[in-house]
Amino acid sequence: MTPNSSWINETTRQSSLAYVAENMVDVAVVGGGITGAGVALDAVSRGLSVALIESGDLASGTSGYSSKLVHGGLRYLAKMEFPVAWESARERRWLMATIAPHLIRPLGFVIPDARSAPVWEGLVAGFGTVIYDALRRLSGLGSKVLPRPQLLSSQAVAALAPGLDVAKLRRGYLYWDGQVVDDARLVLGVARTAAGLGAHILRDVRATAMTAETVDAVDVRNGAPLRIRARSVVNATGVWAADFDPGLTVTPSRGTHLVVRAERLGQPHAAHTVAVPGHFGRYVFVLPEPGGRVYIGLTDEEDHSADGHHPLVPPHDVDFLLDVVNATLAVPLTHDDVVGTFAGLRPLAEAAHGDGFDGTSDISRRHLVRNEPGMPITIVGGKMTTYRRMAQDAVDAVVGRLGSSAQCRTKTLPLVGAAPATVLRNLPVPARLVAKYGTEAVEVHGLALLETILAEPLFEGTDITGAEILFAVLAEGAATVEDLLERRTRLAFVPADADKARERVAQILALAASGAFGRGGAQ
């Protein structure tokens, strides 16, 4: 396998460090989550030179710990936030149809209609799915990608979501949305596509200060200082954005998820929603995931003290999620069924609010671009689904400062690995790899032919092979065992699984760093 321009690894890091130390770029982007990666891709695709720096690993903050959904915003309809819902529906169209069809799949959502609830609640839910589907059609996303909603009998509900107590249901409503196979993989896809167009992607470089035209930083691996000179600087640091913009208020909202084994809920084929009592338009989602897991989330709690990279999950978050979801299950979950937890801090650009304010769940998910003269351009807020539009708005501000007329190209720019479904279906490799890597599955599968250690699963009970670990080091910027367990494989979401894989992962990482596999780019 020959290295290509989209690879991010130790060799490209050293080359980019040398470049930015000696040369000015058009745009310096600070923050390696989905927003910063999106800004880098938008800018470089307009012909601008770009450097992106991230203090740790790509997607190591909020962007790697979401609900893994690309959704049109049904909850925003419930809260009458029509502009947010419409923007979400349009961005979902571009993502699922063109940008990342290999990483985003249709996922059915069941809305249970409980016999104990007033009849009007079920009718409102059904009407909401019809309106939601109208947004899908108006956005231009066809029903072959996201099917139309359906009214379900209780028997049909049981087939899709066996864990539900169907004896308590009148019926159910089924609607469809997008599910990202892995949110960290989406960030990597955006960043690597930017790298393939010439962007310099630098992990483990922490910004200490920024102006409109400079970023002072430090290489966290060796403590070396670095000054990046740019014609324009973009602050895309998420929950840390206010640290570099004193005129900004960011409210961190902790979103906690529980991880349970899918078999405990009867191997569900669809997600289901549970209304949070006393909070109209707020739901807990029960989300089936690849690898035999189900994620249950999420909370929405203001949290100013948490570590943005590793927010702790307090016991009351676990209790809250279990209490809400157990109201719908035939056999309630216990704490022993929770095999893992994770949380992310969403950076909400706080709007003015009055007496009716009810915590961070009431703060708008609209994004904010601050373009103050003499200051870096700041992009904050929003959500994963709308990252592309957030990036477009930020780079529009950049080109305005630079006096450029370059137009956004990202609506129709496929990410690395993307291809039409007909192409992906015919790739001569396991479907599991295609669902994770798209067309690059062929390269990953080829690595398994190099050595036995690369062909074998990391441990009994997982499908993840050593080849995937090697590819993550060669092409996806992974540098530590934690990178591999936490963001390239997501095994760390179930600590017991991570423990089983740790020794083999460390062995492959060490061999890759030594060049033992004879594939350049890892050294």
Side-chain angles (χ1 to χ4, degrees):
M1 184 169 63
T2 304
N4 65 56
S5 60
S6 73
W7 283 18
I8 302 171
N9 53 41
E10 279 304 291
T11 298
T12 65
R13 183 179 186 272
Q14 294 302 320
S15 175
S16 291
L17 281 171
Y19 182 88
V20 299
E22 299 294 333
N23 297 277
M24 176 182 287
V25 293
D26 292 322
V27 187
V29 186
V30 183
I34 189 62
T35 304
V39 171
L41 177 56
D42 189 300
V44 75
S45 67
R46 298 195 202 198
L48 302 175
S49 57
V50 175
L52 178 148
I53 67 169
E54 159 59 41
S55 63
D57 187 17
L58 295 170
S60 59
T62 302
S63 297
Y65 301 92
S66 73
S67 296
K68 290 106 177 80
L69 297 176
V70 167
H71 59 103
L74 185 60
R75 67 170 292 184
Y76 308 122
L77 286 180
K79 289 180 172 291
M80 309 297 284
E81 291 190 56
F82 295 110
V84 179
W86 174 235
E87 181 177 75
S88 298
R90 285 186 301 172
E91 292 305 315
R92 180 184 61 185
R93 178 256 175 108
W94 302 119
L95 280 162
M96 297 192 73
T98 304
I99 296 172
H102 61 310
L103 295 179
I104 304 170
R105 66 193 64 179
L107 176 65
F109 284 77
V110 174
I111 304 176
D113 184 8
R115 296 182 187 276
S116 60
V119 173
W120 65 265
E121 285 190 7
L123 296 176
V124 169
F127 181 69
T129 64
V130 172
I131 300 300
Y132 196 55
D133 190 58
L135 289 180
R136 186 268 305 165
R137 287 184 278 115
L138 288 171
S139 76
L141 188 62
S143 59
K144 290 184 178 180
V145 179
L146 282 185
R148 296 182 177 89
Q150 294 176 255
L151 178 65
L152 301 176
S153 66
S154 58
Q155 292 81 6
V157 170
L160 290 171
L164 286 170
D165 187 353
V166 294
K168 296 181 179 179
L169 302 181
R170 295 189 190 96
R171 61 183 70 85
Y173 300 91
L174 177 67
Y175 72 95
W176 294 82
D177 235 324
Q179 180 182 40
V180 187
V181 66
D182 188 330
D183 47 7
R185 298 210 64 75
L186 181 61
V187 177
L188 289 168
V190 175
R192 289 187 53 216
T193 304
L197 294 174
H200 298 277
I201 310 296
L202 286 161
R203 58 163 295 172
D204 295 328
V205 175
R206 178 172 55 86
T208 56
M210 60 180 92
T211 70
E213 295 181 338
T214 62
V215 178
D216 287 327
V218 60
D219 184 336
V220 300
R221 296 186 183 180
N222 58 21
L226 175 68
R227 168 163 282 194
I228 300 174
R229 295 170 295 123
R231 297 173 65 201
S232 187
V233 173
V234 177
N235 172 9
T237 55
V239 293
W240 298 277
D243 294 347
F244 301 99
D245 186 341
L248 181 68
T249 298
V250 174
T251 300
S253 171
R254 186 183 65 251
T256 294
H257 295 79
L258 312 181
V259 185
V260 302
R261 300 290 188 189
E263 60 191 28
R264 177 59 181 80
L265 294 172
Q267 302 289 355
H269 299 287
H272 77 264
T273 65
V274 186
V276 177
H279 297 265
F280 179 73
R282 185 179 171 195
Y283 303 93
V284 167
F285 296 103
V286 180
L287 303 163
E289 298 285 333
R293 303 174 183 176
V294 173
Y295 298 157
I296 299 172
L298 72 173
T299 60
D300 209 337
E301 300 293 334
E302 186 171 340
D303 191 340
H304 289 273
S305 62
D307 178 350
H309 286 102
H310 296 97
L312 295 177
V313 173
H316 62 79
D317 277 10
V318 179
D319 293 338
F320 165 78
L321 291 171
L322 288 177
D323 287 346
V324 172
V325 76
N326 278 341
T328 69
L329 299 180
V331 180
L333 296 169
T334 70
H335 284 79
D336 289 340
D337 294 312
V338 179
V339 296
T341 62
F342 65 91
L345 293 183
R346 289 163 293 182
L348 306 182
E350 188 171 352
H353 50 74
D355 294 337
F357 179 65
D358 186 26
T360 56
S361 63
D362 270 5
I363 298 178
S364 174
R365 295 304 195 259
R366 301 193 72 174
H367 62 271
L368 172 68
V369 177
R370 280 178 51 83
N371 185 9
E372 299 293 328
M375 295 286 291
I377 293 167
T378 297
I379 174 70
V380 70
K383 54 202 185 78
M384 176 164 281
T385 305
T386 59
Y387 84 86
R388 192 212 61 83
R389 182 52 195 256
M390 294 170 65
Q392 177 181 335
D393 290 349
V395 181
D396 282 347
V398 168
V399 298
R401 286 191 180 187
L402 300 184
S404 169
S405 60
Q407 299 297 305
C408 178
R409 297 177 47 217
T410 53
K411 283 183 181 179
T412 56
L413 180 62
L415 301 185
V416 59
T422 52
V423 173
L424 296 177
R425 280 196 300 266
N426 291 316
L427 292 175
V429 294
R432 184 190 68 81
L433 291 179
V434 176
K436 187 174 180 180
Y437 298 97
T439 58
E440 290 193 310
V442 176
E443 296 178 74
V444 178
H445 189 61
L447 289 175
L449 304 177
L450 296 178
E451 299 284 350
T452 301
I453 193 176
L454 301 177
E456 295 175 341
L458 297 178
F459 60 90
E460 185 177 353
T462 185
D463 292 328
I464 300 170
T465 66
E468 295 172 63
I469 301 301
L470 179 58
F471 187 78
V473 177
L474 294 177
E476 298 179 339
T480 68
V481 171
E482 286 67 33
D483 295 339
L484 293 161
L485 294 176
E486 294 182 13
R487 285 167 294 279
R488 303 308 185 278
T489 65
R490 313 322 291 253
L491 287 170
F493 282 174
V494 180
D497 290 348
D499 289 343
K500 294 175 186 176
R502 189 175 300 277
E503 183 177 350
R504 177 61 61 89
V505 167
Q507 181 183 6
I508 295 171
L509 176 62
L511 289 170
S514 70
F517 298 115
R519 303 293 170 180
Q523 292 77 30

